[in-house]
Every structure is written in structure tokens, then in C-alpha cells.
Amino acid sequence: MTAPVIGPRPRSPLAALGRWVGSRELTMRLRPLILFLESHLRAWTNNRVSLVGIAGLPSLQITVPGRKTGLPRTTALLCVPFGRGYVVAGSNWGLPKHPLWSANLRAVDTARVKVGAAESEMRVRMVEGDERAALWQGLVHYWPGYAMEQRLACGREFRVFLLEPAADAAAQSHAAPESHTRRSA
């Protein structure tokens, strides 16, 4: 069985424009405005409309308990399709520190993921080493802005997470329990 690959980039003109805008440093300076508009647009439309979606690109909302408070924390993220799941990267707009959501995601095994109106429980796995390197190449191809954000991040390696449907991950762990290793937080 071959491993799933990162899905093809959306071919719409809006997606091409979104990728172009997202790879400009000016966009990084507009981060507060973009985050404000994104959160309000999602709230006003019950998660049916997002700025990333308007640009023709996939996004999701991920909810996990805060590692310190235990309170549910929801974050909207650009996502990249990968098999039946998604890959997300902790770019934090190219800032030197990891995003808070990525620390919360490292501390859990599962997360509630909402794509449009559909919600599901997904297994969370931070990828490292050769697997991360391979996924990173696909991420940069899908969203070229990651390369610019990586340059701005002053050497910080972005955390990359694989989100897989919980049922798929459970079936794989039953089929090959010796290959399942638990990560440290």
C-alpha cells in the first residue's frame, strides 16, 4: 500500500491569487487585521465562510484543551489535504516563536476538527525527521507562503502535524501495534 500524498493545489484563479498574496511580506504585517476579519467572518457565518475559503484554499478549525487551563481552545488554520486527513504547519505568520495552538496540539492525542459544517475527531501526530522533510516539501508546493514565513522566522523550524480520522488511526494501530510509538509532549 502506498502512502497518501498531499493533494493537488486548487486550480481556481482565486486560489492562485491567494497563494500570491500569502507569499508577500506585506501580508504578514497585516496579520492583526486578517485575524480579526477571519474570526468575525467565521462567527457571523457559523463557519461557512472564511478568508482562506474565499481565496479558494482549504481551512479547518481545530479544538483542543489548553495545556495549562484545560479550557477548549479553537484555532482556524490553513490546512493541506493529505489522504483522508490534513497536514497543518505552525508557521505563526513567520514570527520567531511557535504558535500557542501548536503547544496545545503537542499535548494531546486527538482533536476536534471542523471543516465547513462537518466535525470529526482526529488523531494528532507531530511529524519529525524524514517524514517531516517530505511533508514540508509538499506543504511549500501547496502554499508557497510557507517558504517566505520560514525565512522570516529566523531559523525556527515549524511544527508540522498530521491529522488523521480517529477511526483510520485506530485501525492502523490494531493492524500493526509494534509500529505505534507514543510521542513525548
Side-chain angles (χ1 to χ4, degrees):
M1 180 171 137
T2 61
V5 296
I6 287 186
R9 292 191 308 196
R11 294 184 180 263
S12 76
L14 283 178
L17 178 62
R19 282 192 301 277
W20 182 82
V21 168
S23 63
R24 302 296 173 246
E25 288 188 31
L26 172 63
T27 305
M28 300 304 106
R29 288 187 224 123
L30 296 174
R31 177 178 54 92
L33 175 62
I34 293 168
L35 291 173
F36 174 83
L37 292 172
E38 175 74 9
S39 66
H40 284 80
L41 187 57
R42 283 184 182 271
W44 294 332
T45 65
N46 195 27
N47 199 42
R48 289 188 306 272
V49 180
S50 69
L51 288 178
V52 173
I54 290 170
L57 297 163
S59 67
L60 55 77
Q61 284 184 305
I62 191 162
T63 303
V64 296
R67 68 191 184 292
K68 293 180 180 178
T69 65
L71 298 173
R73 303 292 183 202
T74 301
T75 304
L77 302 169
L78 171 72
C79 64
V80 176
F82 185 77
R84 293 190 41 208
Y86 303 94
V87 179
V88 294
S91 67
N92 202 21
W93 297 78
L95 295 173
K97 292 186 177 183
H98 291 291
L100 294 175
W101 65 261
S102 73
N104 290 337
L105 209 53
R106 285 182 70 189
V108 299
D109 291 325
T110 62
R112 196 85 192 135
V113 175
K114 187 173 185 179
V115 179
E119 280 191 64
S120 61
E121 191 77 14
M122 295 213 154
R123 300 271 306 159
V124 174
R125 184 167 60 88
M126 190 168 114
V127 294
E128 298 174 308
D130 291 342
E131 182 181 25
R132 185 202 175 280
L135 284 175
W136 179 250
Q137 292 303 313
L139 286 169
V140 170
H141 173 74
Y142 197 93
W143 181 251
Y146 282 139
M148 181 260 311
E149 292 176 57
Q150 183 68 73
R151 189 179 72 253
L152 292 174
C154 302
R156 174 178 64 85
E157 183 175 270
F158 298 165
R159 294 172 177 160
V160 175
F161 296 91
L162 180 57
L163 308 173
E164 303 171 288
D168 290 358
Q172 288 176 353
S173 68
H174 290 305
E178 67 280 352
S179 66
H180 179 69
T181 58
R182 185 159 173 85
R183 69 182 183 284
S184 60

